[in-house]
Amino acid sequence: MDQASFFLETSQELRRLFDKAFVSRKLKAGETLFEQDEYDDRLYVLDEGLLEVSVYSAGGRKHALNLLRPESVFGEIAMFDPGPRTARIEAVENCKLRYIRQAALIAEIAREPHLAAELLSLAGKRMRWMSQQMEEQVFLPPAPRLAAKVLYLAGDDGKIAMSQAQMADYVGVTREVVSKILSEWRREGFVKLSRGRIEVTNPAALEDIKNDTPE
């Protein structure tokens, strides 16, 4: 499920809440919205730009989890359990966001209790999506894992503005592994490669690779 679809599936009441109660904020490319383990109690919606979600190991190794696109809603866990953030979010390009703090959201829910059910549904969809990502990371070999991530990140236009080293952060393998697989796919005509860009030219082939996993 695309992260943006979480927002697209919300009710008109929840959309009106976003328009009425949320506070605007801007981020410049490279600026961090919040760090992993930093306290924050805000729910966000991204209006413009791209945000990268990543986590870091105790040894400082980075694993990128997701690219959030416009209309993505995130940070809902803090609504139910304010505390340290579980990931780091950084602006890939200039961004415009809106947010609402937990106290303000609770006040709105007191006036419109049905909004609580929608937020619980949002959290459930996020947990289901994260579970799927974890399964891919643990059980898929490198090529199917890369195919799944490329298809997800490419979006509707089939293009990813990302270096192979950055892609390796998303897949959890070395840059050399990503480079070898992508080179094979380029020879097969599945992708086009240029500096800092990957373009999917045969998504059906990548779907086959993604689904071709050992029993």
Side-chain angles (χ1 to χ4, degrees):
M1 173 182 291
D2 192 307
Q3 296 283 314
S5 67
F6 294 158
F7 182 77
L8 297 174
E9 293 174 2
T10 57
S11 70
Q12 290 300 316
E13 289 86 350
L14 191 54
R15 285 172 176 264
R16 281 196 290 270
L17 169 63
F18 289 173
D19 293 335
K20 176 180 69 172
F22 276 53
V23 179
S24 297
R25 179 172 178 181
K26 295 181 180 180
L27 287 178
K28 293 182 179 180
E31 189 176 352
T32 300
L33 179 61
F34 51 75
E35 296 283 355
Q36 185 176 342
D37 295 328
E38 181 179 312
Y39 180 89
D40 190 17
D41 69 346
R42 288 170 285 190
L43 176 70
Y44 295 88
V45 58
L46 176 62
D47 292 318
E48 296 180 16
L50 286 174
L51 293 169
E52 181 184 76
V53 184
S54 60
V55 294
Y56 286 79
S57 69
R61 182 179 177 183
K62 176 183 176 181
H63 178 58
L65 297 175
N66 196 14
L67 273 182
L68 298 178
R69 298 182 175 90
E71 297 195 312
S72 294
V73 179
F74 60 98
E76 69 285 342
I77 293 176
M79 295 295 99
F80 305 105
D81 184 24
R85 288 295 188 185
T86 57
R88 179 178 189 266
I89 292 189
E90 178 182 332
V92 177
E93 55 190 40
N94 292 344
C95 296
K96 291 183 180 179
L97 310 93
R98 285 171 289 159
Y99 70 84
I100 185 171
R101 290 193 176 275
Q102 185 201 35
L105 183 58
I106 289 176
E108 293 292 337
I109 290 174
R111 286 188 284 271
E112 299 186 66
H114 68 279
L115 293 177
E118 285 206 55
L119 290 170
L120 284 169
S121 176
L122 176 67
K125 291 174 183 176
R126 183 85 65 194
M127 291 175 65
R128 192 175 301 114
W129 183 86
M130 288 301 296
S131 176
Q132 177 186 343
Q133 300 306 301
M134 185 178 298
E135 288 180 8
E136 290 179 358
Q137 195 69 24
V138 172
F139 297 113
L140 291 185
R145 197 189 318 167
L146 178 59
K149 192 61 68 175
V150 166
L151 287 169
Y152 173 74
L153 294 174
D156 293 335
D157 64 0
K159 298 177 181 178
I160 309 172
M162 184 181 296
S163 70
Q164 294 183 17
Q166 290 172 311
M167 181 60 71
D169 288 337
Y170 278 88
V171 183
V173 297
T174 64
R175 183 194 63 79
E176 290 76 14
V177 170
V178 168
S179 178
K180 179 181 178 182
I181 296 172
L182 288 177
S183 295
E184 292 174 355
W185 291 354
R186 179 177 57 184
R187 288 193 295 270
E188 295 290 339
F190 301 161
V191 299
K192 291 182 180 178
L193 304 176
S194 56
R195 187 175 182 84
R197 186 173 293 274
I198 303 167
E199 180 180 353
V200 178
T201 53
N202 191 338
L206 295 192
E207 282 286 354
D208 289 341
I209 294 170
K210 170 187 171 182
N211 297 323
D212 184 20
T213 56
E215 295 295 336

